């Protein structure tokens, strides 16, 4: 183990110690450090390849693994790699760094080491230098991450550009060249811009996707369209609701109810929060399990007893779609039994008396038949939440974006957190530890918002540019300001697509679906398919075929993260700052091309080259890296990234507690909105009426308590999980290592219910709602109520290796979105969240 | 290497059935999907809604102190290594009779075209004796541990062992 081969940057003590927060000193640290790392290899920063051979870097990587393990924190019996082990790994494999893309394309959650032999990627593990899973030295990855190789080499990869030759939906395509494809796209976009205006172009945003969030948004702005069609299935929904209830200067900085100081929290309430499926290797559940071992009490609210729910102290199996009723009744008990912090309420709440008056009748007795939760359990939970302090509430996507009254559900949770005095205290909400400044500064890609034309209407109303032109505003137009939606205006995904069918307020003409399958990412694929069919132009760019491709006019083959080296990420941790960049693991398969390159090329061909580095993505990367003082070549050559240790002794600091004047400064009267003066009485997002001031329970369009006539014919409730640990939404279902564990579309069903219909464990069953029908296999599960079914959406991917088919997204297929209501009037009128609960009848197939 | 007995420990209070260990095992040992599974994560649900107890336990070969599989193997294909107690299979000698499967109290042995297949603590993929098997490295919650029996016993003594409500299975498995 030769120290000089260690590719970690040696910290330059004087550089960092004196740095404070200035970029310049960090930059000098970095450039000084590069020479310190050269050691015997004699590299220099400007040309590391000259001195540090490929082999040296590989060897460095092995040694580093050993060092990181020795550094501790990995686990009691995880051993440091022995010298022999390091050498064996070095001789057998080439190790390259890449961010795992199993939580979505262009994601940078987990940094990984990819082990290649003879050019083929065989194995993967976590990069110990990157501090994955909130654990310095960790090499852990989740099950999805362990399977990443199979995404790169999937037989379902799209390899060539093609254009439609049959009718839309017929699925007949002809291979074309990239130049031909780009010509078609550019000609169409230019013609449409001329004829219908730039706003006739819209992009589908699935889960957050960096390419779209940066270059895609910049392209929209320069082209002149505000129509970023945001999915409505996102943390944005709960951010908006928190922001208007308990403050936070911008959407991204909305105050939280979750605890970020779990070691000080006594009670943690998890509501529709599913990290054992959605974010396994991102620090939670590990940190929660650690805290539970030290005595943290946990209440877990969600319909199905997933793994972490089974470990909770109290599991509350709320009936899907009724969370808002449940939280309203909890709030009622806390107010009625005076379990709130009177000082706080008196000084920092707006309209508490009106709230108290309004909530009077929303008792546990009212909520129990709606939610399926016994009154006693509602009282128990409410009293725990009202008395145990510090308490944190983790609000997940399960409640934030999948209910048509999600705004009021989230708002009530925020109000509980506030009035019980749990905001701004250690172990409660809005009290994040303050990290010492990052030792590596980079420049985010400028979205060029000033390039989006501001209409007369925008100016007159004080809206941010483009808002007046939105095809289907996600939040109300009046709310879409730079302070509330800092990344720009948004339209709602489903409602935006429906403009093609309704022509209201104008039809979109060109939709770009990049790593998003609209037949599964939103409600009612039958309507979405009609919209895609009616579109003038539907462009798809993806790594793999998805079921919406048959409606495409042009299909473009995208690279995986692993075939390109165009993304880096910085992680600032207590012990230092790390920056890492994707290494290219393989040559692009077929004619596949990076999404980053595609955008800068498209812009260049459109005549927007001056704003897009003249089509050169390398220039874009250099611009982003400029403040760091680290060159692109240097970063790429560092392989597993560059870590700058914090040597000035600075540590994460506790925030200033109970600084309510600051926390609530952006709220009307600087107070928590018990009576919501911000949104109440203002136009809703459809422009059809006004929003309420006080909490309202709406419930799904079809549900057991408010639509008894429908319930007579359709007696069971169905919903689907937001995330599942063996795929990424509908993507990666065809990955062999993962498909093995979920070979057939499944629905969890209580055994007693299944038996009453003569349905055996594993049997195919038909599920029929007022809106459509699907087929799934029954999976017996006691951890779900007898009148509730829970499934997972997105089954279009086949798995050749296991001989398993994909399933269609329409009637008699296996896409649960077929079953749900999709009337936009029923969506949340503030944040456009769509309910995904309905009533069904079932039978054995 | 002194005479040691290495083994695995699953802390069922931390296992969340994420399958990272099981898939890490496959990818590092080059095992194709849909064939053998050296490591499996079992779920045991007891009770009826809403009073349900769930236990997740990641299991593989126990590397028993007196491996029944080795005792019954007519071909002498299974042996226990003196230096670390790891039970290994010589696939060249395996005749595929499956006696070992019937002898193993945990149903561990599986078979492919080469013969019996089971965990070898990653010896076969280059992890040296005493090194950390990949399933352990993979585990995101720290539920899965590997070490000598004395190390593991210490760990178990330190932990508050949660009784899991299934008498036939211990809450934590140490061999």
């Amino acid at each position: 183990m030769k120290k000089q081969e260690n590719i970690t940057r040696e910290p330059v003590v004087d550089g960092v110690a004196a740095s404070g927060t200035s970029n310049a000193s960090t930059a000098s640290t970095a450039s000084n450090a590069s020479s310190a790392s050269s050691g015997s290899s004699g590299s220099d920063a400007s040309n590391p390849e000259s001195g540090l051979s490929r082999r040296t870097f590989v060897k460095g990587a092995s040694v580093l693994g050993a060092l990181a393990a020795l550094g501790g924190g990995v686990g009691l019996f995880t051993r440091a790699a022995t010298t022999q082990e390091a050498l064996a790994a070095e001789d057998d494999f080439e190790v390259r760094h890449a961010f795992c893309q199993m939580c979505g394309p262009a994601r940078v959650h987990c940094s990984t080491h990819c082990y290649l032999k003879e050019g083929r990627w065989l194995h993967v593990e976590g990069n110990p230098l990157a501090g994955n899973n909130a654990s310095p030295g960790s090499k852990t990855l989740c099950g999805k991450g362990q399977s990443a190789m199979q995404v790169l080499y999937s037989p379902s990869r799209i390899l060539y550009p093609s254009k439609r030759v049959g009718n839309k939906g017929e699925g007949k395509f002809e291979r074309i060249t990239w130049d031909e494809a780009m010509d078609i796209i550019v000609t169409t976009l230019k013609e449409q811009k001329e004829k219908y205006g730039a706003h006739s172009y819209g992009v589908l945003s699935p889960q957050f996707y960096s390419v779209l969030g940066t270059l895609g948004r910049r392209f929209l702005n320069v082209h002149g369209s505000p129509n970023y069609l945001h999915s409505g299935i996102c943390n944005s929904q709960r951010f908006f609701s928190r922001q208007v209830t308990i403050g936070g200067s911008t959407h991204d900085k909305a105050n939280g109810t979750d605890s970020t100081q779990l070691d000080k929290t006594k009670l943690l309430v998890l509501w529709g929060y599913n990290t054992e499926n959605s974010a396994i290797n991102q620090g939670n559940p590990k940190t929660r399990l650690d805290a539970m071992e030290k005595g943290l009490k946990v209440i877990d609210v969600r319909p199905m007893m997933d793994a972490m729910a089974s470990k909770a102290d109290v599991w509350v199996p709320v009936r899907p779609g009724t969370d808002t009723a449940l939280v309203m009744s909890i709030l009622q008990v806390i107010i009625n039994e005076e379990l709130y912090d009177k000082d706080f309420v008196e000084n920092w709440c707006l309209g508490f008396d009106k709230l108290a008056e309004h909530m009077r009748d929303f008792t546990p007795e009212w909520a129990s038949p709606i939610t399926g939760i016994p009154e006693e359990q509602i009282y128990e939970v409410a009293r725990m939440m009202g008395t145990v302090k510090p308490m944190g509430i983790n609000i997940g996507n399960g409640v934030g974006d999948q209910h048509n009254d999600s705004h009021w559900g989230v708002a009530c949770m925020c109000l509980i957190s506030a009035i019980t005095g749990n905001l701004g205290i250690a172990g409660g909400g809005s009290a994040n530890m303050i990290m010492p400044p990052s030792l590596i500064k980079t420049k985010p890609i400028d979205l060029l918002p000033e390039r989006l034309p501001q209409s007369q209407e925008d100016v007159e109303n004080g809206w941010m540019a483009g808002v007046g032109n939105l095809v289907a505003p996600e939040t109300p137009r009046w709310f879409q300001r730079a302070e509330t939606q800092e990344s720009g205006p948004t339209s709602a995904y489903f409602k935006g697509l429906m403009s093609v069918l309704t022509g209201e307020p104008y039809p979109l003409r060109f939709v770009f679906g990049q790593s998003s399958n609209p037949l599964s990412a939103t409600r009612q694929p039958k309507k979405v398919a009609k919209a895609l069919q009616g579109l003038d132009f539907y462009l798809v760019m993806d790594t793999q075929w998805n079921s919406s491709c048959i409606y495409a006019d042009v299909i473009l083959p995208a690279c995986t993260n692993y075939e390109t080296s165009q993304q880096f990420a910085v992680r600032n941790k207590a012990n230092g700052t790390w920056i890492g960049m994707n290494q290219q693991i393989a040559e692009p398969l077929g004619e596949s091309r990076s999404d980053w390159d595609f955008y800068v090329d498209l812009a260049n061909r459109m005549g927007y080259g001056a704003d897009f580095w003249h089509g050169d993505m390398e220039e874009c990367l250099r611009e982003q890296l400029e403040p760091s003082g680290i060159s692109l070549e240097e970063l790429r050559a560092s392989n597993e990234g560059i870590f700058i240790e914090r040597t000035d002794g600075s540590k994460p600091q506790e925030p200033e507690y109970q600084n309510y004047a600051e926390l609530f400064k952006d709220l009307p009267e600087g107070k928590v909105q018990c009576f919501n003066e911000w949104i109440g009485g203002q136009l809703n997002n459809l422009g059809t009426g006004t929003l309420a001031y006080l909490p309202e329970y709406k419930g799904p369009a079809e549900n057991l308590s408010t639509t008894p006539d429908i319930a007579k014919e359709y007696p069971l409730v169905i919903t689907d999980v937001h995330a599942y640990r063996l795929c990424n939404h509908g993507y990666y279902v065809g990955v062999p290592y993962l498909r093995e564990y979920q070979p057939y579309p499944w629905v969890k069903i209580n055994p007693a219910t299944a038996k009453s219909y003569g349905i055996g464990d594993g049997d195919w069953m038909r599920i029929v709602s007022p809106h459509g029908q699907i087929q799934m296999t029954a999976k017996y599960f006691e951890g779900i109520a007898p009148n509730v079914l829970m499934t997972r959406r997105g089954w279009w991917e086949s798995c050749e290796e296991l001989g398993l088919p994909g399933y269609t997204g329409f009637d008699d297929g296996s896409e649960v979105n077929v079953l749900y209501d999709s009337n936009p009037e029923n969506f949340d009128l503030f944040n456009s969240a769509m309910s995904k609960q309905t009533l069904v009848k079932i039978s054995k197939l | 290497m002194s005479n040691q007995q290495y083994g695995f420990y699953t802390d069922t209070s931390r296992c969340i059935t994420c399958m990272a260990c099981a898939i890490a095992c496959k990818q590092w040992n080059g095992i194709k999907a849909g064939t053998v599974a050296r490591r499996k994560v079992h779920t045991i649900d007891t009770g009826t809604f809403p009073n349900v107890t769930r236990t997740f336990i990641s299991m593989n070969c126990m590397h028993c102190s007196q491996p029944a599989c080795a005792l019954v193997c007519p071909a002498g294909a299974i042996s226990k290594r003196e230096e670390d107690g790891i039970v290994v299979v010589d696939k060249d000698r395996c005749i595929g009779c499956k006696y070992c499967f019937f002898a193993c109290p945990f149903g561990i042995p599986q078979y492919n075209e080469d013969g019996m297949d089971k965990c070898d603590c990653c010896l076969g993929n280059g992890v040296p004796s005493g090194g950390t098997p990949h399933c352990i490295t993979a585990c995101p919650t720290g539920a899965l541990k590997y070490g000598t029996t004395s190390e593991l016993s210490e760990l178990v003594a330190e932990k508050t062992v949660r009784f899991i409500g299934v008498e036939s299975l211990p809450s934590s498995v140490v061999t």
Side-chain angles (χ1 to χ4, degrees):
Chain A
M1 194 185 296
K2 292 178 189 167
K3 191 156 186 215
Q4 62 268 34
E5 287 169 359
N6 184 339
I7 60 168
T8 306
R9 284 165 180 272
E10 299 288 337
V12 177
V13 176
D14 56 356
V16 180
S19 70
T21 56
S22 94
N23 291 359
S25 56
T26 308
S28 78
T29 304
S31 59
N32 289 344
S34 68
S35 58
S37 72
S38 64
S40 61
S41 60
S43 74
D44 68 83
S46 62
N47 188 6
E49 296 291 354
S50 67
L52 280 179
S53 67
R54 170 75 249 149
R55 185 176 169 80
T56 311
F57 274 106
V58 172
K59 191 182 277 184
S62 306
V63 173
L64 252 188
L67 279 177
L70 277 169
V74 182
L76 189 51
F77 296 113
T78 302
R79 288 171 168 68
T82 60
T83 309
Q84 291 89 335
E85 187 180 354
L87 289 175
E90 175 191 341
D91 288 344
D92 289 352
F93 295 104
E94 183 187 1
V95 182
R96 297 199 142 214
H97 172 264
F99 290 106
C100 183
Q101 79 162 47
M102 299 303 284
C103 280
R107 285 272 160 151
V108 291
H109 295 303
C110 296
S111 156
T112 65
H113 279 167
C114 304
Y115 287 71
L116 285 79
K117 193 180 264 185
E118 289 161 12
R120 191 165 175 92
W121 180 21
L122 296 178
H123 314 300
V124 64
E125 69 181 7
N127 172 8
L129 198 63
N132 295 336
N133 204 18
S135 315
S138 169
K139 295 182 184 177
T140 63
L141 286 179
C142 71
K144 282 188 293 184
Q146 301 285 347
S147 315
M149 296 74 69
Q150 296 181 331
V151 168
L152 169 59
Y153 300 120
S154 167
S156 308
R157 287 287 302 276
I158 300 171
L159 298 176
Y160 308 104
S162 54
K163 71 171 184 189
R164 177 171 60 83
V165 288
N167 293 321
K168 290 199 183 208
E170 213 178 336
K172 284 190 187 160
F173 294 92
E174 176 183 278
R175 182 174 165 181
I176 53 175
T177 65
W178 265 102
D179 271 335
E180 286 171 302
M182 295 305 280
D183 283 347
I184 295 170
I185 295 163
V186 167
T187 306
T188 309
L189 273 178
K190 282 183 174 170
E191 277 175 10
Q192 289 182 344
K193 184 174 180 175
E194 180 69 29
K195 200 166 166 191
Y196 309 112
H199 54 277
S200 63
Y201 166 69
V203 295
L204 298 178
S205 164
Q207 58 176 151
F208 180 75
Y209 177 34
S210 285
V211 177
L212 194 56
T214 57
L215 296 186
R217 175 66 91 167
R218 184 168 165 128
F219 183 86
L220 278 168
N221 288 341
V222 173
H223 186 60
S225 172
N227 285 318
Y228 190 96
L229 305 182
H230 188 248
S231 69
I233 304 175
C234 187
N235 58 16
S236 280
Q237 271 51 40
R238 59 180 190 266
F239 282 9
F240 293 139
S241 297
R242 284 186 344 207
Q243 191 183 357
V244 299
T245 308
I246 56 171
S249 54
T250 61
H251 156 275
D252 270 349
K253 293 189 179 69
N255 288 338
T257 52
D258 50 324
S259 169
T260 51
Q261 299 192 57
L262 269 189
D263 54 330
K264 296 168 185 136
T265 305
K266 286 194 178 144
L267 176 66
L268 186 65
V269 181
L270 303 143
W271 205 308
Y273 192 78
N274 185 25
T275 49
E276 73 271 46
N277 276 299
S278 65
I280 291 167
N281 201 48
Q282 295 169 36
N284 182 337
K286 182 188 173 292
T287 46
R288 198 195 321 164
L289 288 165
D290 291 346
M292 286 166 75
E293 284 184 358
K294 290 177 184 142
L296 173 71
K297 296 288 174 220
V298 170
I299 297 173
D300 202 324
V301 189
R302 51 177 152 172
M304 196 158 70
M305 192 191 253
D306 278 280
M308 289 299 281
S310 74
K311 298 179 195 300
D313 297 279
V314 182
W315 172 47
V316 187
V318 61
R319 183 175 296 155
T322 68
D323 299 61
T324 299
L326 182 62
V327 70
M328 281 171 68
S329 67
I330 291 171
L331 178 59
Q332 193 273 346
V333 174
I334 289 170
I335 295 173
N336 192 48
E337 299 190 359
E338 299 189 14
L339 303 178
Y340 52 87
D341 181 325
K342 295 191 179 61
D343 276 352
F344 180 89
V345 164
E346 197 167 311
N347 294 307
W348 298 105
C349 288
L350 180 70
F352 179 78
D353 292 344
K354 286 178 188 157
L355 175 71
E357 171 68 21
H358 173 76
M359 296 307 290
R360 191 179 298 160
D361 296 333
F362 299 117
T363 60
E365 290 74 14
W366 163 78
S368 180
I370 297 172
T371 60
I373 304 302
E375 294 160 22
E376 313 80 72
Q377 193 178 28
I378 301 177
Y379 280 109
E380 180 199 2
V381 168
R383 287 167 188 159
M384 284 174 78
M385 291 177 78
T387 54
V388 184
K389 211 170 160 181
M391 173 194 69
I393 310 176
N394 281 3
I395 306 171
N397 275 16
V399 63
D401 64 8
Q402 289 152 58
H403 292 71
N404 54 12
D405 49 21
S406 97
H407 164 69
W408 286 116
V410 172
C412 287
M413 289 171 206
C414 293
L415 291 176
I416 290 173
S417 191
I419 67 169
T420 54
N422 278 298
L423 288 183
I425 63 168
S430 301
N432 293 2
M433 294 292 284
I434 300 164
M435 290 295 288
S438 174
L439 302 173
I440 300 171
K441 297 281 196 292
T442 56
K443 178 178 179 287
I445 294 176
D446 189 337
L447 304 179
L448 304 180
E450 69 281 1
R451 303 295 302 278
L452 197 56
Q454 191 165 33
S455 67
Q456 191 59 32
E457 192 186 8
D458 294 337
V459 177
E460 280 168 11
N461 289 288
W463 299 335
M464 85 176 120
V467 168
N469 253 343
L470 285 169
V471 70
E474 184 181 32
T475 54
R477 291 185 208 271
W478 58 263
F479 182 75
Q480 299 211 15
R481 306 197 315 253
E483 311 87 73
T484 49
Q485 294 199 192
E486 62 274 27
S487 62
T490 53
S491 277
Y493 193 112
F494 182 85
K495 290 188 275 191
L497 282 171
M498 289 307 107
S499 73
V500 180
L501 299 178
T502 63
E504 294 298 329
Y506 58 86
L508 288 173
R509 302 283 173 173
F510 188 125
V511 168
F512 183 15
Q514 198 176 19
S515 297
S516 178
N517 181 356
L519 296 181
S520 182
T522 190
R523 306 292 176 260
Q524 213 37 269
K526 289 179 280 186
K527 286 189 190 170
V528 172
K530 268 191 197 153
L532 296 179
Q533 235 156 352
L535 260 178
D536 286 4
F537 201 87
Y538 178 45
L539 172 64
V540 170
M541 182 162 182
D542 212 330
T543 57
Q544 295 191 49
W545 183 88
N546 74 56
S547 51
S548 80
C549 287
I550 58 170
Y551 302 101
D553 292 277
V554 167
I555 301 175
L556 300 174
C559 285
T560 61
N561 287 359
Y562 307 111
E563 297 153 277
T564 174
S565 175
Q566 292 175 313
Q567 194 172 17
F568 64 82
V570 176
R571 293 214 187 124
N572 186 40
K573 305 265 177 175
N575 61 338
T577 309
W578 174 86
I579 184 170
M581 184 160 197
N582 276 336
Q583 306 292 304
Q584 202 179 347
I585 305 299
E587 286 299 316
L589 260 63
E591 290 181 6
S592 67
R593 195 172 181 206
S594 108
D595 293 275
W596 304 99
D597 281 337
F598 163 76
Y599 258 120
V600 293
D601 184 29
L602 173 69
N604 205 32
R605 290 173 190 247
M606 288 292 294
Y608 312 146
D611 287 320
F612 283 83
W613 307 274
H614 301 285
D616 184 359
M617 190 60 205
E618 295 287 283
E619 278 309 306
C620 171
L621 285 162
R622 285 182 213 288
E623 186 182 307
Q624 293 175 66
L625 277 173
E626 199 277 326
S628 73
I630 299 169
S631 74
L632 184 56
E633 289 72 18
E634 198 182 353
L635 184 56
R636 282 199 180 122
S638 74
N639 200 8
E640 67 176 11
I642 293 165
F643 181 78
I644 300 181
E645 197 181 328
R646 198 178 303 284
T647 54
D648 65 355
S650 57
K651 292 193 164 47
Q653 302 287 318
E654 294 195 53
E656 186 185 344
Y657 293 118
Q658 295 181 292
N659 186 357
Y660 297 127
E662 174 64 23
L663 278 182
F664 308 140
K665 71 176 174 1
D666 298 308
L667 291 166
E669 297 190 32
K671 289 181 174 178
V672 168
Q673 302 291 292
C674 290
F675 181 81
N676 203 308
E677 296 272 14
W678 189 337
I679 71 166
Q682 302 258 34
L683 264 191
N684 65 32
N685 56 29
L686 292 177
T688 55
T690 56
L691 294 166
Y693 291 88
L694 290 158
E696 286 180 338
Y697 168 66
K698 187 153 74 173
E702 301 91 24
N703 77 70
L704 294 180
S705 55
T706 56
T707 57
D709 288 348
I710 300 175
K712 260 184 221 155
E713 189 183 347
Y714 303 94
L716 303 172
V717 178
I718 195 166
T719 187
D720 62 281
V721 297
H722 176 75
Y724 191 61
R725 61 194 181 281
L726 299 172
C727 48
N728 182 52
H729 301 284
Y731 280 70
Y732 308 146
V733 172
V735 170
Y737 277 153
L738 301 171
R739 186 65 174 268
E740 222 182 329
Y741 298 106
Q742 52 164 355
Y744 303 104
W746 51 262
V747 60
K748 297 281 178 87
I749 183 168
N750 189 287
T753 308
K755 284 172 193 162
S756 74
Y757 288 91
I759 297 167
D761 196 7
D763 283 354
W764 280 92
M765 55 191 267
R766 171 172 282 122
I767 305 170
V768 184
S769 85
H771 304 285
Q773 55 180 305
I774 59 170
Q775 301 175 6
M776 296 248 153
T777 61
K779 264 194 154 181
Y780 278 19
F781 186 37
E782 282 291 352
I784 193 164
N787 57 4
V788 174
L789 305 175
M790 205 150 180
T791 180
R792 198 189 63 65
R793 68 190 177 282
W795 283 95
W796 70 85
E797 288 189 11
S798 61
C799 178
E800 199 175 282
E801 190 172 321
L802 296 173
L804 292 165
Y807 297 86
T808 86
F810 303 117
D811 278 339
D812 298 322
S814 297
E815 173 56 58
V816 67
N817 276 305
V818 161
L819 303 179
Y820 300 136
D821 169 66
S822 57
N823 180 353
E825 288 171 20
N826 292 334
F827 298 171
D828 191 291
L829 292 168
F830 174 57
N831 63 27
S832 290
M834 304 168 286
S835 79
K836 59 167 196 179
Q837 307 87 20
T838 185
L839 297 177
V840 293
K841 56 185 175 185
I842 60 171
S843 56
K844 186 175 185 303
L845 262 178
Chain B
M1 184 69 64
S2 59
N3 285 355
Q4 292 278 19
Q5 171 66 61
Y6 280 87
F8 295 90
Y9 164 71
T10 307
D11 181 346
T12 55
S13 73
R14 297 187 70 100
C15 179
I16 57 168
T17 186
C18 75
M19 302 296 171
C21 55
I23 302 173
C25 175
K26 285 171 200 265
Q27 58 118 339
W28 282 98
N29 289 302
I31 295 169
K32 266 180 76 95
T35 64
V36 298
R38 293 183 182 180
R39 181 170 278 286
K40 293 179 179 171
V41 185
H42 301 278
T43 298
I44 303 150
D45 296 340
T46 56
T48 53
F49 178 87
N51 302 308
V52 179
T53 303
R54 309 194 71 198
T55 306
F56 314 108
I57 180 159
S58 173
M59 280 178 68
N60 63 336
C61 173
M62 305 285 173
H63 302 281
C64 301
S65 53
Q66 293 179 314
C69 56
L71 284 175
V72 300
C73 179
I78 308 174
S79 58
K80 186 170 177 68
R81 285 157 52 107
E82 251 181 46
E83 65 270 40
D84 49 23
I86 298 173
V87 176
V88 293
V89 187
D90 181 349
K91 290 198 178 181
D92 289 342
R93 300 182 84 159
C94 175
I95 57 172
C97 68
K98 305 193 179 173
Y99 280 17
C100 52
F101 173 77
F102 292 102
C104 174
F106 304 104
I108 294 295
Q110 292 166 69
Y111 304 87
N112 58 21
E113 59 273 22
D114 298 327
M116 193 268 265
D117 190 273
K118 67 162 201 71
C119 164
D120 62 357
C121 299
C122 287
L123 290 173
N125 69 47
V127 174
S129 175
T132 306
H134 289 286
C135 52
I136 307 294
T137 307
C139 178
T141 64
L144 207 53
K145 306 288 186 192
Y146 179 73
T148 63
T149 44
S150 57
E151 286 171 326
L152 293 177
S153 301
E154 254 175 60
L155 179 66
V156 174
E158 280 169 20
K159 291 277 307 185
T160 306
V161 177
R162 280 194 191 182
F163 182 67
I164 60 162
V166 183
E167 287 184 10
S168 59
L169 274 178
S171 64
S172 308
V173 178
V174 178
T175 57

